[in-house]
Amino acid sequence: MTEKNMLLALFEEVDPAAHAVDKLRSLGLDNEHVNVISGTPITEAMLGRPHQWTNVPRLAMGGAIGGMLVGIFFAFGTPTLYPVYVGGQPLYPVPPSIVVLFEMTMLGIMLSTFLGVFLDARFPSYSPKVYVPEISDGYIALLIDCPAEQEETVKKAMTEAGAESVKYAEVQPL
């Protein structure tokens, strides 16, 4: 089994960081071995990385369907179970039923979306994290998980790509 080292390369701009990601890919390191840490939002397209897929839209759709089913039960199931006829009014009034269906659908979508984002972010995480103080100053960091035999090659490629520093990453609990 080969030993793995965590290297941290700091970049001041996005373009050199994107070129560094391309160089790492050409060295044979996959995207799951490279983590981008930034204080500002950087999209995957800016770095030439593949789009991250999420299950949140499917969970939201499931929540909408579940909320609508609950709304249908409240609007039409309850009057069926407990019929109360009030002076010429229909047993299933349509305008209030539309409001109940809408509200329960929206409640289902909001709850499932919140839970989906919460679970998709793997929150809370109790594992040690990498803290880089330079990120607060606007730097972009690449956290590279590379085999020990490729360490020197990766360091050289990062400095050629424009990294201001390449050092070992210290993983510490926050």
Side-chain angles (χ1 to χ4, degrees):
M1 184 163 162
T2 63
E3 181 183 338
K4 293 219 174 213
N5 293 330
M6 295 291 283
L7 296 176
L8 186 72
L10 290 172
F11 295 90
E12 199 167 339
E13 299 290 327
V14 176
D15 289 336
H19 294 303
V21 169
D22 290 339
K23 282 192 174 198
L24 289 172
R25 201 174 294 129
S26 68
L27 289 174
L29 291 173
D30 294 335
N31 281 320
E32 54 262 359
H33 296 290
V34 179
N35 192 6
V36 179
I37 306 170
S38 172
T40 57
I42 297 175
T43 63
E44 297 94 356
M46 291 170 74
L47 293 175
R49 299 183 81 182
H51 180 68
Q52 298 290 321
W53 291 101
T54 178
N55 287 322
V56 174
R58 284 182 228 137
L59 289 170
M61 185 58 76
I65 292 169
M68 183 174 275
L69 292 175
V70 170
I72 288 171
F73 172 74
F74 283 160
F76 301 110
T78 306
T80 303
L81 291 173
Y82 305 104
V84 177
Y85 293 97
V86 178
Q89 297 290 323
L91 185 59
Y92 306 109
V94 175
S97 299
I98 292 172
V99 172
V100 170
L101 282 171
F102 174 79
E103 293 296 333
M104 295 310 294
T105 302
M106 290 300 114
L107 183 63
I109 231 172
M110 286 188 298
L111 287 175
S112 62
T113 302
F114 174 76
L115 288 174
V117 169
F118 193 73
L119 295 173
D120 199 35
R122 293 178 181 93
F123 186 78
S125 174
Y126 299 107
S127 62
K129 300 291 178 203
V130 176
Y131 174 68
V132 184
E134 290 88 355
I135 297 300
S136 300
D137 297 331
Y139 283 87
I140 300 164
L142 293 181
L143 184 65
I144 306 154
D145 185 18
C146 69
E149 58 269 3
Q150 275 190 323
E151 180 182 328
E152 290 303 318
T153 311
V154 169
K155 280 184 179 180
K156 183 180 176 194
M158 293 299 99
T159 52
E160 288 175 359
E164 292 200 6
S165 69
V166 181
K167 58 186 177 183
Y168 289 108
E170 296 181 27
V171 178
Q172 50 187 317
L174 295 176

